[in-house]
Amino acid sequence: MLFSLCIGKLSYIQLIAAGSVAEAATASRTVTKPLQSQRGTIVDTNGVVLAQSVERYTVYADQKAISEFKPIDCDGSNDSVCHSIDGHDVEGTGAAAVARMLAPVLGMNAMELGGKLVGTSRYVILKKNVVPAVKRSIDKLHLAGEINYELTSDRSYADDGGLMGSLLGGVDSTGTGVAGIEKMTDASLTGEDGETRYQRGANGQEIPGTRTESRQPVDGGKVKLTIDRDVQWYVKKALTDAKKKTGAEWGIGVVQQVKNGHIVAIADTDTYEAGSDEAKLNTSKAVTTVFEPGSTGKLITAAGLLQEGIHKPTDHFQVPYQTEVNGQTFHDSHEHGTLNLTLAGILKESSNTGTIMASKNYSLKKRYEYITRFGIGQSTGLGFPGESRGQLAPYQSWDLRTRNTVLFGQGYSASALQMTNVVATIANKGVRCGQSIIESSTDAQGNDTTPKTNQPVRVIDESVAKEMLDMMESMADQYKDIAGVKGYRIAGKSGTAQVAGDDGALTSNIGDFIAAIPADDPQYVVTVVLKDPEGTYGGVTAGPVVATIGEFLMQKYEVPNSPARKNAIPTEW
């Protein structure tokens, strides 16, 4: 009876249940192993790699297989499978033997490593972020059943000494962008993981010929910035030098192409290494820090006055040191007698009093309208994480003083990027371009993922923009000895404004200078902002830095020299 039962069971298994039993056996041996994709690269406008993922491995052990390990002595004919240490046979078995072989390669203590190898787990991580060279050294130990790897990656950034740390940001432990451009373009840079299926033996090793399914990983796309790394480096250096020279708390610099709104450089004096915790927690000041622009805001007022036909550049004004409006007293930065100035002269002398006098018929609504049209209180369109729109309250809420301080850049705040685009709008014949920092990008499938920029908007007529450039050139001429670029004309505006200090009182100041160069055919706009510089005034402190950067740009991009200036708008009468 027993024999008959065995025959019956065997017949059932072989003839009836053979398929299901075989499938169950195969399923128990089959494993699915993920194949990790690599994160895409970030390059500058010239293709210089700024961030990339490099091949790394996580080394792990199969404790059960290690417990059964017995080294094979080398006899000269089995070099592909035998085990040795410095040409000598390996002593012992199990975890002790494996530890002796593996510890020197991993740079670990043999006793400590041996402790990790003891147990029954099939997956114990021994070391992460192992470079390919170390992985190849482990391969030569012939421990395929005992020691295994998982392909991972490590985010590597150009060794820039903090050149673009807060701009690039960084990724978290899973490789996801969490700050800066890494976060901004995460969808484009993220790849698609693959997988492979195979059957493994009793010791966890892959059984040859059993790989049934494999889907290769697809690496992430490529992001190309508008940033020129050479210009970025130079701007960073110029700011660092200016900070030391003037004792400023910090500095910000922006370089923008006039014709398309591309940001060529965006730097500050912070020195966070890309990928570091500091870079992930501190966004670029040029994007997030806002300040009262001070007298650079007079450009908006002058442009509005001309565009609305309220004044011409040559209109005459007798400008005293101070004036009173609605019980509020306003005065210029330094005492002077009554000056006979044109509107162009008011901008040249940066007169608060003259600006208020010229704006007598300039309504509150129009004041607000032009500040808004020039981009203040608006998104730049960059889409940069943490970007600030600035602060501009509705004109209906302006108090008696703010109604006039907005005329000369106080009572609202803006970022360095926004103020750069104010001058770029004038330099671009009155058209405000959407700013961009991403020149092009693709995702893992090769699809175009380049962010859309704000559409160009005409703010002032081309004729008004031309008059504004002429007036700005007269202003910049005052500083030609300390902020001039030999062979090139500059159209610019300086600004100085009181801002809140650490104590909340108006004990700090901002000095800024923004210029279009060359003035006769503007190619670039350069902005420099310094916090609490010695010398205070933007023309004296930030102006020379703008000139230094401008000179570098003219040489690097081989911009032709400017022709002599003719028929400048009169500034006095």
Side-chain angles (χ1 to χ4, degrees):
M1 288 179 64
L2 181 61
F3 181 73
S4 297
L5 288 172
C6 289
I7 291 297
K9 184 67 173 178
L10 181 61
S11 299
Y12 172 79
I13 293 174
Q14 290 185 327
L15 300 177
I16 300 175
S20 60
V21 171
E23 288 178 4
T26 301
S28 68
R29 295 192 303 268
T30 301
V31 294
T32 300
K33 183 178 180 180
L35 301 176
Q36 185 178 9
S37 62
Q38 298 289 317
R39 188 170 175 82
T41 59
I42 302 174
V43 301
D44 83 338
T45 189
N46 299 311
V48 177
V49 176
L50 303 174
Q52 63 182 334
S53 290
V54 292
E55 180 182 347
R56 293 291 184 266
Y57 293 88
T58 295
V59 180
Y60 68 93
D62 184 331
Q63 292 177 333
K64 186 175 181 181
I66 288 174
S67 67
E68 300 171 2
F69 174 76
K70 293 182 180 179
I72 301 173
D73 294 340
C74 297
D75 59 14
S77 63
N78 62 348
D79 291 345
S80 62
V81 295
C82 70
H83 306 96
S84 65
I85 299 176
D86 296 330
H88 301 287
D89 294 335
V90 180
E91 297 180 0
T93 61
V98 174
R100 290 191 185 98
M101 299 170 62
L102 189 60
V105 179
L106 290 180
M108 298 175 67
N109 178 276
M111 292 185 64
E112 180 182 345
L113 178 59
K116 289 187 175 184
L117 301 178
V118 176
T120 58
S121 174
R122 316 270 343 210
Y123 183 88
V124 175
I125 294 177
L126 303 179
K127 197 167 188 177
K128 295 182 177 181
N129 291 327
V130 171
V131 298
V134 172
K135 186 259 186 187
R136 290 193 293 270
S137 296
I138 298 175
D139 287 338
K140 296 177 182 178
L141 299 179
H142 308 141
L143 296 171
E146 295 78 24
I147 304 299
N148 299 287
Y149 327 92
E150 287 179 344
L151 176 64
T152 61
S153 63
D154 185 39
R155 199 64 171 163
S156 174
Y157 298 93
D159 184 17
D160 56 14
L163 178 62
M164 299 177 66
S166 57
L167 190 64
L168 292 172
V171 299
D172 63 13
S173 59
T174 67
T176 302
V178 294
I181 290 171
E182 290 278 24
K183 180 178 181 180
M184 177 180 170
T185 60
D186 186 64
S188 298
L189 295 172
T190 300
E192 291 186 356
D193 293 342
E195 64 179 25
T196 182
R197 292 184 181 181
Y198 61 88
Q199 296 180 39
R200 63 182 180 187
N203 290 328
Q205 76 278 17
E206 180 179 345
I207 299 174
T210 63
R211 188 168 293 196
T212 58
E213 217 177 297
S214 183
R215 178 166 52 86
Q216 292 302 309
V218 181
D219 293 341
K222 183 177 182 179
V223 173
K224 184 178 183 181
L225 305 183
T226 60
I227 300 292
D228 185 322
R229 190 176 186 276
D230 291 342
V231 179
Q232 180 79 9
W233 178 86
Y234 196 87
V235 172
K236 182 88 171 185
K237 181 181 182 300
L239 290 173
T240 302
D241 292 346
K243 179 181 176 181
K244 293 178 181 177
K245 183 177 180 180
T246 66
E249 182 180 337
W250 49 254
I252 296 172
V254 179
V255 177
Q256 177 175 323
Q257 279 187 287
V258 169
K259 64 181 180 180
N260 53 22
H262 285 184
I263 305 301
V264 181
I266 177 171
D268 57 53
T269 48
D270 293 335
T271 53
Y272 306 125
E273 294 284 348
S276 66
D277 291 341
E278 291 83 0
K280 297 172 190 177
L281 295 172
N282 296 278
T283 310
S284 171
K285 280 187 172 65
V287 178
T288 60
T289 300
V290 295
F291 51 89
E292 291 189 342
S295 292
T296 50
K298 290 171 184 168
L299 296 175
I300 298 174
T301 301
L305 292 173
L306 295 176
Q307 182 65 31
E308 291 300 313
I310 297 173
H311 286 297
K312 298 188 294 294
T314 54
D315 284 354
H316 294 183
F317 299 88
Q318 288 189 313
V319 182
Y321 164 63
Q322 69 179 34
T323 188
E324 185 174 311
V325 181
N326 295 327
Q328 301 289 317
T329 301
F330 303 90
H331 58 77
D332 287 338
S333 60
H334 57 278
E335 290 193 29
H336 59 75
T338 299
L339 303 176
N340 293 330
L341 302 175
T342 62
L343 183 62
I346 288 174
L347 191 66
K348 175 185 175 182
E349 297 298 329
S350 198
S351 171
N352 296 340
T353 303
T355 301
I356 292 173
M357 292 174 63
S359 304
K360 181 179 179 181
N361 297 319
Y362 191 38
S363 70
L364 299 183
K365 183 178 180 180
K366 287 296 181 181
R367 298 176 192 192
Y368 177 85
E369 178 184 328
Y370 277 91
I371 294 172
T372 302
R373 287 172 65 175
F374 271 98
I376 309 304
Q378 313 291 310
S379 169
T380 63
L382 289 183
F384 197 90
E387 178 188 352
S388 175
R389 292 170 173 261
Q391 296 177 332
L392 175 63
Y395 69 90
Q396 295 91 339
S397 66
W398 291 349
D399 59 29
L400 292 178
R401 189 161 191 83
T402 303
R403 293 174 184 180
N404 287 290
T405 60
V406 294
L407 296 171
F408 46 85
Q410 296 183 20
Y412 64 86
S413 63
S415 68
L417 276 171
Q418 290 173 321
M419 293 308 299
T420 299
N421 217 18
V422 169
V423 173
T425 298
I426 297 170
N428 194 39
K429 300 179 180 180
V431 176
R432 175 162 62 90
C433 291
Q435 294 171 296
S436 60
I437 199 170
I438 307 297
E439 184 174 324
S440 64
S441 68
T442 55
D443 62 13
Q445 291 76 37
N447 299 316
D448 185 359
T449 56
T450 306
K452 302 296 182 183
T453 59
N454 291 343
Q455 290 298 309
V457 177
R458 176 161 293 284
V459 179
I460 53 177
D461 293 339
E462 184 174 341
S463 59
V464 172
K466 184 177 180 180
E467 291 172 336
M468 285 295 301
L469 279 176
D470 190 297
M471 293 160 67
M472 291 165 62
E473 190 170 354
S474 294
M475 187 278 161
D477 266 351
Q478 297 180 106
Y479 298 99
K480 62 182 179 181
D481 292 337
I482 60 172
V485 177
K486 188 176 180 180
Y488 297 91
R489 290 156 50 188
I490 296 177
K493 184 71 184 77
S494 63
T496 309
Q498 286 184 310
V499 295
D502 295 335
D503 57 359
L506 294 177
T507 54
S508 290
N509 68 78
I510 291 289
D512 59 338
F513 196 93
I514 311 174
I517 182 171
D520 52 289
D521 182 19
Q523 301 295 312
Y524 300 94
V525 170
V526 182
T527 298
V528 171
V529 183
L530 298 176
K531 168 76 179 300
D532 286 333
E534 294 177 5
T536 306
Y537 298 108
V540 176
T541 58
V545 190
V546 169
T548 298
I549 296 169
E551 182 178 18
F552 176 80
L553 292 171
M554 297 301 97
Q555 293 175 355
K556 175 177 173 61
Y557 296 114
E558 299 180 349
V559 178
N561 283 4
S562 298
R565 188 184 185 194
K566 297 179 180 179
N567 303 319
I569 296 173
T571 59
E572 299 177 348
W573 57 276

